[in-house]
Structure formats: C-alpha cells, structure tokens
Amino acid sequence: DLKYKMTIADVKKFPFLTDFVVDKGYLFATALSGVFKFDLNGKIITQNVSLGTPEEIAKGNNGYLYIADSSNSSIEILDTNLKSVKKIGMFGYSKGELAYPKGVAISEDGDIYVADTGNSRIVVFDKDGNYKFSFGKLGNKENEFINPTRIFIKDKDIFISDPYSSTVKVFDLSGSFKRYIASSKFFSGRFVSPEKVATNSSGMLAILDGYMGRVYLYDKGKYLESFNIFPDYSKRFSNFIKENELVIGDIAVGEDNSVYVLNGNNSTIMRFYNRGCSVDVDSSLTGFHPSAIAISKNGLLYIASSSEEKVVYGRWLKGEFFKEGEIDLSKLRPSNGNPIYPATIFVKNNILYIAD
C-alpha cells in the first residue's frame, strides 16, 4: 500500500520552489526566497538567502552547486554547506556577460553551460569560470533561440528548451546543432505547443501538443508517429467525449507503451494503444476532475485531483479503470493549512512524488 512519507517544504516557508537536486542523502532546492539544504527526512540543514532570483540548480563533479541567479545576471557557485565559492558573470551583452540567465548545466569535464535567457544564447565557461565561447542568437532557425530557459546535459548531448519558440533542441558540446526533439514546425513529429511529456523505462517518449490535440511518440529519441486525441472518437464514445469538452489534464506511458490521457473536463481517462490506433475510454471517475496521472512499472495507475485533494490508484483491466484505493491529501496539508493542489505526480522506486 502507498503510504505518505513526508513534506520536504511548504509554501509558507519556501514560496515558489523552482528546482532541486538530490545528492548523497541531501536535497538542495532553489526558491524565490533563497537556496536550501534539507536532509531526506525533510529537516532543513542550512540556507542561503543572499541570491537575487535563484532559478535552475546543477551539481558538478567537483561537489559544488551551480545556481542561475536570474535577477543578478550571474551564476553563483556554492559549496554543499551553501557557502559562496565564486560568482561568474555580470549583466551585459558582450563575451562572458549574461542577461537574466535561467538555466545552468555542468559537463563531465566541468565546463559550465548557461542558458543566457535575455541574450538568446548559450554561454560556456571553463571549470574555473573563464569564458570559453557562446552559441546561438535571436531567431527561429536551428542554431537560434528566443529565450532559452532550461538546459540539460546527457553524455555528449545538450538539451535546450526554448518555450517562446515552442522548441527543444539538441546540440553537441561544441555548440553544433544536432536535431530537434520538438519544434513549432508542424510536420514529421514537430509540433506547435508541447505541454505534457511522459516516458517509460524502455525509452518510449510521448509528448502532448495541447494546441493541436495530438500525441507524438518517440522511441529513444527517434520520431515514430503521432495520433489525434480530439473528438475523432466522439462518435464511438459519445457518452464520454463531446465536442469542445476535451480539457487535457496530463499524460502517462505504461511499460506496454500504452498512452493514458486525462480529460479533466468530463472526468474521463483515455488509454491509447497500438500506437494510437486503438482506444479505450473510462468514465468511472465522474465528478473527480483528474489533473495529473502517473504509472508505476508494475502497472499501478495513480490519478490526482486538485479540486478534491485526492489521489486514487488502481489498474486498467479489460478496457477500464478499476479503483483499488485513494489517498486523502487534505490530511497532509502544510502547517499553514493551505489546500494541496497536485500539479504533477510521478512514481519512482515505489515512492509517489506530488508537486503542489
């Protein structure tokens, strides 16, 4: 049975949590009010409230924490006790200068990659904080950005999100464009407004384009195909889906590559399989208003509702959802008594994480 463990932070003490990393038994989080270190029992160990607007946080192989301090147009380097080690960058538009950076990532060799949001580029510093090079400029072409906000390095690939151009682009470590993961150009797996992303352990990736009402499938980064979730199915399931009533809450991908889509407006769950060629629809949660969904490796579905402050769980059997139990989130409210409104949930190692 799923049992609540703890709340690491609540909104009264830590408003607007923006990012976190977990390392060696501690959780390091950025918020509007500063940078915080917790143990995994939820106890705050120390804090640093000297930064302006901490955004993304990354941890280097040297043990230091790197924080994109947007309002101070710099990267703040802290040790694991949150003591300041070094500050990189200052406001400006020239080489080595930054304008309201929101993202930071560290390569294996210690190079510091910064999403220089206000300058529409990526700036790279060496491990000592010396300027190396930058790439990108304002525009919509492959090697251009509008306002890059988040950056992630996996092996020798750099993944960069640019929400104002509705893109996720991949570059190599030298700044050469490699491919799109998402694009506003609507063809061959590229789309207009990517809103929800889900994956499973085998690497099947599903991306929901909320504007176009389509789900795009990728296998280990390679585009497979897309399928429509708007009321093409209304004639077959007229009791469940009516025109102009599809309000997507969330999506999830099962280990069998089935894609689960929540319709928050009429409280239905849609399960697409055979790469979207077949669909089952369940309406057993009438009045529940589902907002987020996650699925464990063994097929247990967790469905959250912000309006009811609940998470229900169960399994998909014979074309419909069978509820096995529920969690009352109202009993887990923080010390200030504010309701819990689940925005995102996910399951890892049999632990359910809820983003409020």
Side-chain angles (χ1 to χ4, degrees), residues 50-52 65-67 69 71-78 83-91 96 98 112 125 128-130:
S50 65
L51 281 69
L65 300 167
Y66 298 77
I67 294 97
D69 188 354
S71 62
N72 285 326
S73 295
S74 63
I75 301 299
E76 188 75 30
I77 304 176
L78 306 177
K83 301 295 184 182
S84 179
V85 174
K86 193 171 188 175
K87 183 177 180 179
I88 300 174
M90 58 181 293
F91 179 78
L98 304 170
I112 306 161
F125 301 88
D128 297 317
N130 302 308

PDB file of all heavy atoms in Angstrom, residues 50-52 65-67 69 71-78 83-91 96 98 112 125 128-130:
ATOM      1  N   SER A  50      21.059  35.034   0.154  1.00  0.00           N
ATOM      2  CA  SER A  50      21.750  36.215  -0.366  1.00  0.00           C
ATOM      3  C   SER A  50      21.584  36.393  -1.871  1.00  0.00           C
ATOM      4  O   SER A  50      21.929  37.437  -2.411  1.00  0.00           O
ATOM      5  CB  SER A  50      23.246  36.125  -0.033  1.00  0.00           C
ATOM      6  OG  SER A  50      23.853  35.037  -0.709  1.00  0.00           O
ATOM      7  N   LEU A  51      21.050  35.375  -2.563  1.00  0.00           N
ATOM      8  CA  LEU A  51      20.906  35.472  -4.011  1.00  0.00           C
ATOM      9  C   LEU A  51      19.682  36.298  -4.376  1.00  0.00           C
ATOM     10  O   LEU A  51      18.783  36.514  -3.554  1.00  0.00           O
ATOM     11  CB  LEU A  51      20.816  34.085  -4.640  1.00  0.00           C
ATOM     12  CG  LEU A  51      22.148  33.324  -4.809  1.00  0.00           C
ATOM     13  CD1 LEU A  51      22.730  32.915  -3.470  1.00  0.00           C
ATOM     14  CD2 LEU A  51      21.947  32.086  -5.680  1.00  0.00           C
ATOM     15  N   GLY A  52      19.631  36.722  -5.642  1.00  0.00           N
ATOM     16  CA  GLY A  52      18.509  37.529  -6.106  1.00  0.00           C
ATOM     17  C   GLY A  52      17.296  36.690  -6.442  1.00  0.00           C
ATOM     18  O   GLY A  52      16.324  36.634  -5.681  1.00  0.00           O
ATOM     19  N   LEU A  65      27.722  23.365  -6.059  1.00  0.00           N
ATOM     20  CA  LEU A  65      26.394  23.650  -6.606  1.00  0.00           C
ATOM     21  C   LEU A  65      26.484  24.909  -7.466  1.00  0.00           C
ATOM     22  O   LEU A  65      27.122  25.891  -7.087  1.00  0.00           O
ATOM     23  CB  LEU A  65      25.391  23.873  -5.481  1.00  0.00           C
ATOM     24  CG  LEU A  65      25.198  22.706  -4.504  1.00  0.00           C
ATOM     25  CD1 LEU A  65      24.439  23.174  -3.280  1.00  0.00           C
ATOM     26  CD2 LEU A  65      24.459  21.557  -5.182  1.00  0.00           C
ATOM     27  N   TYR A  66      25.810  24.870  -8.610  1.00  0.00           N
ATOM     28  CA  TYR A  66      25.797  25.998  -9.541  1.00  0.00           C
ATOM     29  C   TYR A  66      24.351  26.468  -9.684  1.00  0.00           C
ATOM     30  O   TYR A  66      23.467  25.689 -10.033  1.00  0.00           O
ATOM     31  CB  TYR A  66      26.360  25.588 -10.895  1.00  0.00           C
ATOM     32  CG  TYR A  66      27.814  25.149 -10.840  1.00  0.00           C
ATOM     33  CD1 TYR A  66      28.164  23.890 -10.361  1.00  0.00           C
ATOM     34  CD2 TYR A  66      28.830  25.998 -11.269  1.00  0.00           C
ATOM     35  CE1 TYR A  66      29.496  23.478 -10.296  1.00  0.00           C
ATOM     36  CE2 TYR A  66      30.167  25.597 -11.216  1.00  0.00           C
ATOM     37  CZ  TYR A  66      30.485  24.343 -10.722  1.00  0.00           C
ATOM     38  OH  TYR A  66      31.794  23.947 -10.665  1.00  0.00           O
ATOM     39  N   ILE A  67      24.111  27.750  -9.401  1.00  0.00           N
ATOM     40  CA  ILE A  67      22.747  28.293  -9.426  1.00  0.00           C
ATOM     41  C   ILE A  67      22.674  29.455 -10.405  1.00  0.00           C
ATOM     42  O   ILE A  67      23.485  30.383 -10.351  1.00  0.00           O
ATOM     43  CB  ILE A  67      22.309  28.775  -8.027  1.00  0.00           C
ATOM     44  CG1 ILE A  67      22.199  27.592  -7.053  1.00  0.00           C
ATOM     45  CG2 ILE A  67      20.952  29.473  -8.105  1.00  0.00           C
ATOM     46  CD1 ILE A  67      23.385  27.383  -6.197  1.00  0.00           C
ATOM     47  N   ASP A  69      21.322  32.675 -11.130  1.00  0.00           N
ATOM     48  CA  ASP A  69      20.716  33.770 -10.369  1.00  0.00           C
ATOM     49  C   ASP A  69      20.233  34.812 -11.379  1.00  0.00           C
ATOM     50  O   ASP A  69      20.971  35.704 -11.786  1.00  0.00           O
ATOM     51  CB  ASP A  69      21.750  34.357  -9.407  1.00  0.00           C
ATOM     52  CG  ASP A  69      21.141  35.377  -8.452  1.00  0.00           C
ATOM     53  OD1 ASP A  69      19.945  35.702  -8.611  1.00  0.00           O
ATOM     54  OD2 ASP A  69      21.859  35.854  -7.561  1.00  0.00           O
ATOM     55  N   SER A  71      18.005  37.457 -11.549  1.00  0.00           N
ATOM     56  CA  SER A  71      17.932  38.911 -11.359  1.00  0.00           C
ATOM     57  C   SER A  71      19.306  39.553 -11.202  1.00  0.00           C
ATOM     58  O   SER A  71      19.469  40.739 -11.477  1.00  0.00           O
ATOM     59  CB  SER A  71      17.047  39.244 -10.161  1.00  0.00           C
ATOM     60  OG  SER A  71      17.586  38.703  -8.975  1.00  0.00           O
ATOM     61  N   ASN A  72      20.303  38.774 -10.767  1.00  0.00           N
ATOM     62  CA  ASN A  72      21.668  39.299 -10.656  1.00  0.00           C
ATOM     63  C   ASN A  72      22.515  38.991 -11.896  1.00  0.00           C
ATOM     64  O   ASN A  72      23.710  39.327 -11.919  1.00  0.00           O
ATOM     65  CB  ASN A  72      22.361  38.729  -9.414  1.00  0.00           C
ATOM     66  CG  ASN A  72      21.859  39.374  -8.128  1.00  0.00           C
ATOM     67  OD1 ASN A  72      21.524  40.553  -8.116  1.00  0.00           O
ATOM     68  ND2 ASN A  72      21.797  38.598  -7.063  1.00  0.00           N
ATOM     69  N   SER A  73      21.903  38.355 -12.896  1.00  0.00           N
ATOM     70  CA  SER A  73      22.587  38.052 -14.165  1.00  0.00           C
ATOM     71  C   SER A  73      23.941  37.384 -13.931  1.00  0.00           C
ATOM     72  O   SER A  73      24.972  37.800 -14.463  1.00  0.00           O
ATOM     73  CB  SER A  73      22.757  39.322 -15.004  1.00  0.00           C
ATOM     74  OG  SER A  73      21.500  39.834 -15.396  1.00  0.00           O
ATOM     75  N   SER A  74      23.922  36.315 -13.134  1.00  0.00           N
ATOM     76  CA  SER A  74      25.173  35.630 -12.797  1.00  0.00           C
ATOM     77  C   SER A  74      24.911  34.177 -12.462  1.00  0.00           C
ATOM     78  O   SER A  74      23.761  33.748 -12.286  1.00  0.00           O
ATOM     79  CB  SER A  74      25.853  36.321 -11.614  1.00  0.00           C
ATOM     80  OG  SER A  74      25.041  36.242 -10.463  1.00  0.00           O
ATOM     81  N   ILE A  75      26.010  33.418 -12.374  1.00  0.00           N
ATOM     82  CA  ILE A  75      25.968  32.055 -11.872  1.00  0.00           C
ATOM     83  C   ILE A  75      26.677  32.053 -10.523  1.00  0.00           C
ATOM     84  O   ILE A  75      27.839  32.436 -10.416  1.00  0.00           O
ATOM     85  CB  ILE A  75      26.663  31.072 -12.830  1.00  0.00           C
ATOM     86  CG1 ILE A  75      25.986  31.102 -14.199  1.00  0.00           C
ATOM     87  CG2 ILE A  75      26.657  29.662 -12.249  1.00  0.00           C
ATOM     88  CD1 ILE A  75      24.528  30.692 -14.201  1.00  0.00           C
ATOM     89  N   GLU A  76      25.964  31.651  -9.500  1.00  0.00           N
ATOM     90  CA  GLU A  76      26.526  31.595  -8.160  1.00  0.00           C
ATOM     91  C   GLU A  76      26.984  30.167  -7.867  1.00  0.00           C
ATOM     92  O   GLU A  76      26.227  29.214  -8.045  1.00  0.00           O
ATOM     93  CB  GLU A  76      25.485  32.015  -7.123  1.00  0.00           C
ATOM     94  CG  GLU A  76      26.021  32.168  -5.724  1.00  0.00           C
ATOM     95  CD  GLU A  76      26.838  33.440  -5.531  1.00  0.00           C
ATOM     96  OE1 GLU A  76      26.544  34.448  -6.217  1.00  0.00           O
ATOM     97  OE2 GLU A  76      27.746  33.434  -4.694  1.00  0.00           O
ATOM     98  N   ILE A  77      28.246  30.018  -7.450  1.00  0.00           N
ATOM     99  CA  ILE A  77      28.780  28.707  -7.094  1.00  0.00           C
ATOM    100  C   ILE A  77      28.834  28.610  -5.576  1.00  0.00           C
ATOM    101  O   ILE A  77      29.411  29.473  -4.902  1.00  0.00           O
ATOM    102  CB  ILE A  77      30.188  28.499  -7.689  1.00  0.00           C
ATOM    103  CG1 ILE A  77      30.155  28.688  -9.205  1.00  0.00           C
ATOM    104  CG2 ILE A  77      30.702  27.103  -7.350  1.00  0.00           C
ATOM    105  CD1 ILE A  77      31.522  28.588  -9.859  1.00  0.00           C
ATOM    106  N   LEU A  78      28.200  27.544  -5.021  1.00  0.00           N
ATOM    107  CA  LEU A  78      28.166  27.338  -3.587  1.00  0.00           C
ATOM    108  C   LEU A  78      28.756  25.972  -3.257  1.00  0.00           C
ATOM    109  O   LEU A  78      28.691  25.042  -4.061  1.00  0.00           O
ATOM    110  CB  LEU A  78      26.720  27.387  -3.066  1.00  0.00           C
ATOM    111  CG  LEU A  78      25.865  28.614  -3.402  1.00  0.00           C
ATOM    112  CD1 LEU A  78      24.461  28.421  -2.851  1.00  0.00           C
ATOM    113  CD2 LEU A  78      26.494  29.890  -2.860  1.00  0.00           C
ATOM    114  N   LYS A  83      27.815  27.820   1.296  1.00  0.00           N
ATOM    115  CA  LYS A  83      28.705  28.964   1.399  1.00  0.00           C
ATOM    116  C   LYS A  83      29.175  29.364  -0.001  1.00  0.00           C
ATOM    117  O   LYS A  83      29.454  28.505  -0.838  1.00  0.00           O
ATOM    118  CB  LYS A  83      29.914  28.636   2.273  1.00  0.00           C
ATOM    119  CG  LYS A  83      29.562  28.211   3.700  1.00  0.00           C
ATOM    120  CD  LYS A  83      28.912  29.341   4.475  1.00  0.00           C
ATOM    121  CE  LYS A  83      28.667  28.937   5.917  1.00  0.00           C
ATOM    122  NZ  LYS A  83      27.985  30.005   6.694  1.00  0.00           N
ATOM    123  N   SER A  84      29.264  30.659  -0.234  1.00  0.00           N
ATOM    124  CA  SER A  84      29.647  31.155  -1.553  1.00  0.00           C
ATOM    125  C   SER A  84      31.103  30.803  -1.854  1.00  0.00           C
ATOM    126  O   SER A  84      31.999  31.001  -1.030  1.00  0.00           O
ATOM    127  CB  SER A  84      29.455  32.669  -1.620  1.00  0.00           C
ATOM    128  OG  SER A  84      29.844  33.160  -2.890  1.00  0.00           O
ATOM    129  N   VAL A  85      31.321  30.256  -3.057  1.00  0.00           N
ATOM    130  CA  VAL A  85      32.665  29.919  -3.520  1.00  0.00           C
ATOM    131  C   VAL A  85      33.127  30.911  -4.582  1.00  0.00           C
ATOM    132  O   VAL A  85      34.239  31.415  -4.546  1.00  0.00           O
ATOM    133  CB  VAL A  85      32.694  28.482  -4.091  1.00  0.00           C
ATOM    134  CG1 VAL A  85      34.060  28.168  -4.706  1.00  0.00           C
ATOM    135  CG2 VAL A  85      32.339  27.470  -3.021  1.00  0.00           C
ATOM    136  N   LYS A  86      32.234  31.202  -5.511  1.00  0.00           N
ATOM    137  CA  LYS A  86      32.603  32.082  -6.618  1.00  0.00           C
ATOM    138  C   LYS A  86      31.345  32.563  -7.326  1.00  0.00           C
ATOM    139  O   LYS A  86      30.304  31.894  -7.295  1.00  0.00           O
ATOM    140  CB  LYS A  86      33.512  31.340  -7.601  1.00  0.00           C
ATOM    141  CG  LYS A  86      34.206  32.215  -8.618  1.00  0.00           C
ATOM    142  CD  LYS A  86      35.253  31.400  -9.393  1.00  0.00           C
ATOM    143  CE  LYS A  86      36.089  32.307 -10.267  1.00  0.00           C
ATOM    144  NZ  LYS A  86      37.183  31.554 -10.947  1.00  0.00           N
ATOM    145  N   LYS A  87      31.460  33.693  -7.972  1.00  0.00           N
ATOM    146  CA  LYS A  87      30.376  34.245  -8.775  1.00  0.00           C
ATOM    147  C   LYS A  87      30.895  34.440 -10.192  1.00  0.00           C
ATOM    148  O   LYS A  87      31.977  34.989 -10.398  1.00  0.00           O
ATOM    149  CB  LYS A  87      29.898  35.570  -8.192  1.00  0.00           C
ATOM    150  CG  LYS A  87      28.731  36.208  -8.906  1.00  0.00           C
ATOM    151  CD  LYS A  87      28.305  37.476  -8.178  1.00  0.00           C
ATOM    152  CE  LYS A  87      27.125  38.164  -8.845  1.00  0.00           C
ATOM    153  NZ  LYS A  87      26.722  39.368  -8.116  1.00  0.00           N
ATOM    154  N   ILE A  88      30.114  33.971 -11.169  1.00  0.00           N
ATOM    155  CA  ILE A  88      30.517  34.060 -12.571  1.00  0.00           C
ATOM    156  C   ILE A  88      29.546  34.963 -13.317  1.00  0.00           C
ATOM    157  O   ILE A  88      28.329  34.799 -13.208  1.00  0.00           O
ATOM    158  CB  ILE A  88      30.535  32.673 -13.235  1.00  0.00           C
ATOM    159  CG1 ILE A  88      31.527  31.756 -12.517  1.00  0.00           C
ATOM    160  CG2 ILE A  88      30.887  32.770 -14.707  1.00  0.00           C
ATOM    161  CD1 ILE A  88      31.489  30.340 -13.017  1.00  0.00           C
ATOM    162  N   GLY A  89      30.076  35.875 -14.086  1.00  0.00           N
ATOM    163  CA  GLY A  89      29.254  36.702 -14.953  1.00  0.00           C
ATOM    164  C   GLY A  89      28.753  37.976 -14.293  1.00  0.00           C
ATOM    165  O   GLY A  89      28.770  38.134 -13.077  1.00  0.00           O
ATOM    166  N   MET A  90      28.320  38.880 -15.151  1.00  0.00           N
ATOM    167  CA  MET A  90      27.703  40.128 -14.729  1.00  0.00           C
ATOM    168  C   MET A  90      26.768  40.568 -15.859  1.00  0.00           C
ATOM    169  O   MET A  90      26.825  40.037 -16.966  1.00  0.00           O
ATOM    170  CB  MET A  90      28.761  41.203 -14.470  1.00  0.00           C
ATOM    171  CG  MET A  90      29.651  41.494 -15.669  1.00  0.00           C
ATOM    172  SD  MET A  90      30.913  42.735 -15.330  1.00  0.00           S
ATOM    173  CE  MET A  90      29.888  44.182 -15.105  1.00  0.00           C
ATOM    174  N   PHE A  91      25.898  41.525 -15.560  1.00  0.00           N
ATOM    175  CA  PHE A  91      24.931  41.929 -16.571  1.00  0.00           C
ATOM    176  C   PHE A  91      25.630  42.585 -17.768  1.00  0.00           C
ATOM    177  O   PHE A  91      26.522  43.424 -17.618  1.00  0.00           O
ATOM    178  CB  PHE A  91      23.911  42.904 -15.994  1.00  0.00           C
ATOM    179  CG  PHE A  91      22.909  43.366 -17.017  1.00  0.00           C
ATOM    180  CD1 PHE A  91      21.862  42.552 -17.400  1.00  0.00           C
ATOM    181  CD2 PHE A  91      23.037  44.612 -17.626  1.00  0.00           C
ATOM    182  CE1 PHE A  91      20.955  42.967 -18.356  1.00  0.00           C
ATOM    183  CE2 PHE A  91      22.131  45.035 -18.579  1.00  0.00           C
ATOM    184  CZ  PHE A  91      21.088  44.209 -18.953  1.00  0.00           C
ATOM    185  N   GLY A  96      31.137  36.724 -22.224  1.00  0.00           N
ATOM    186  CA  GLY A  96      31.255  36.441 -20.799  1.00  0.00           C
ATOM    187  C   GLY A  96      30.246  37.144 -19.928  1.00  0.00           C
ATOM    188  O   GLY A  96      30.220  36.919 -18.710  1.00  0.00           O
ATOM    189  N   LEU A  98      26.124  38.198 -19.010  1.00  0.00           N
ATOM    190  CA  LEU A  98      24.855  37.489 -19.007  1.00  0.00           C
ATOM    191  C   LEU A  98      23.703  38.464 -18.806  1.00  0.00           C
ATOM    192  O   LEU A  98      23.878  39.539 -18.231  1.00  0.00           O
ATOM    193  CB  LEU A  98      24.830  36.440 -17.882  1.00  0.00           C
ATOM    194  CG  LEU A  98      25.959  35.405 -17.875  1.00  0.00           C
ATOM    195  CD1 LEU A  98      25.937  34.604 -16.573  1.00  0.00           C
ATOM    196  CD2 LEU A  98      25.865  34.489 -19.090  1.00  0.00           C
ATOM    197  N   ILE A 112      30.901  24.862 -17.742  1.00  0.00           N
ATOM    198  CA  ILE A 112      29.639  25.408 -17.238  1.00  0.00           C
ATOM    199  C   ILE A 112      28.848  25.976 -18.413  1.00  0.00           C
ATOM    200  O   ILE A 112      29.290  26.927 -19.065  1.00  0.00           O
ATOM    201  CB  ILE A 112      29.910  26.509 -16.193  1.00  0.00           C
ATOM    202  CG1 ILE A 112      30.820  25.968 -15.082  1.00  0.00           C
ATOM    203  CG2 ILE A 112      28.605  27.046 -15.620  1.00  0.00           C
ATOM    204  CD1 ILE A 112      31.504  27.061 -14.280  1.00  0.00           C
ATOM    205  N   PHE A 125      31.525  28.524 -19.944  1.00  0.00           N
ATOM    206  CA  PHE A 125      32.710  28.876 -19.151  1.00  0.00           C
ATOM    207  C   PHE A 125      33.471  27.599 -18.830  1.00  0.00           C
ATOM    208  O   PHE A 125      32.885  26.506 -18.766  1.00  0.00           O
ATOM    209  CB  PHE A 125      32.305  29.562 -17.845  1.00  0.00           C
ATOM    210  CG  PHE A 125      31.508  30.819 -18.011  1.00  0.00           C
ATOM    211  CD1 PHE A 125      30.121  30.781 -18.104  1.00  0.00           C
ATOM    212  CD2 PHE A 125      32.136  32.056 -18.071  1.00  0.00           C
ATOM    213  CE1 PHE A 125      29.370  31.941 -18.253  1.00  0.00           C
ATOM    214  CE2 PHE A 125      31.398  33.229 -18.219  1.00  0.00           C
ATOM    215  CZ  PHE A 125      30.017  33.168 -18.319  1.00  0.00           C
ATOM    216  N   ASP A 128      36.987  26.827 -14.190  1.00  0.00           N
ATOM    217  CA  ASP A 128      37.456  27.910 -13.312  1.00  0.00           C
ATOM    218  C   ASP A 128      36.640  29.186 -13.467  1.00  0.00           C
ATOM    219  O   ASP A 128      36.929  30.197 -12.817  1.00  0.00           O
ATOM    220  CB  ASP A 128      38.928  28.203 -13.596  1.00  0.00           C
ATOM    221  CG  ASP A 128      39.829  27.014 -13.276  1.00  0.00           C
ATOM    222  OD1 ASP A 128      39.610  26.387 -12.213  1.00  0.00           O
ATOM    223  OD2 ASP A 128      40.718  26.707 -14.091  1.00  0.00           O
ATOM    224  N   GLY A 129      35.636  29.149 -14.367  1.00  0.00           N
ATOM    225  CA  GLY A 129      34.792  30.320 -14.564  1.00  0.00           C
ATOM    226  C   GLY A 129      35.257  31.267 -15.638  1.00  0.00           C
ATOM    227  O   GLY A 129      34.705  32.366 -15.782  1.00  0.00           O
ATOM    228  N   ASN A 130      36.259  30.854 -16.419  1.00  0.00           N
ATOM    229  CA  ASN A 130      36.735  31.694 -17.522  1.00  0.00           C
ATOM    230  C   ASN A 130      35.870  31.486 -18.762  1.00  0.00           C
ATOM    231  O   ASN A 130      35.510  30.359 -19.097  1.00  0.00           O
ATOM    232  CB  ASN A 130      38.193  31.366 -17.844  1.00  0.00           C
ATOM    233  CG  ASN A 130      39.111  31.560 -16.651  1.00  0.00           C
ATOM    234  OD1 ASN A 130      39.105  32.617 -16.036  1.00  0.00           O
ATOM    235  ND2 ASN A 130      39.886  30.530 -16.316  1.00  0.00           N
TER     236      ASN A 130
END
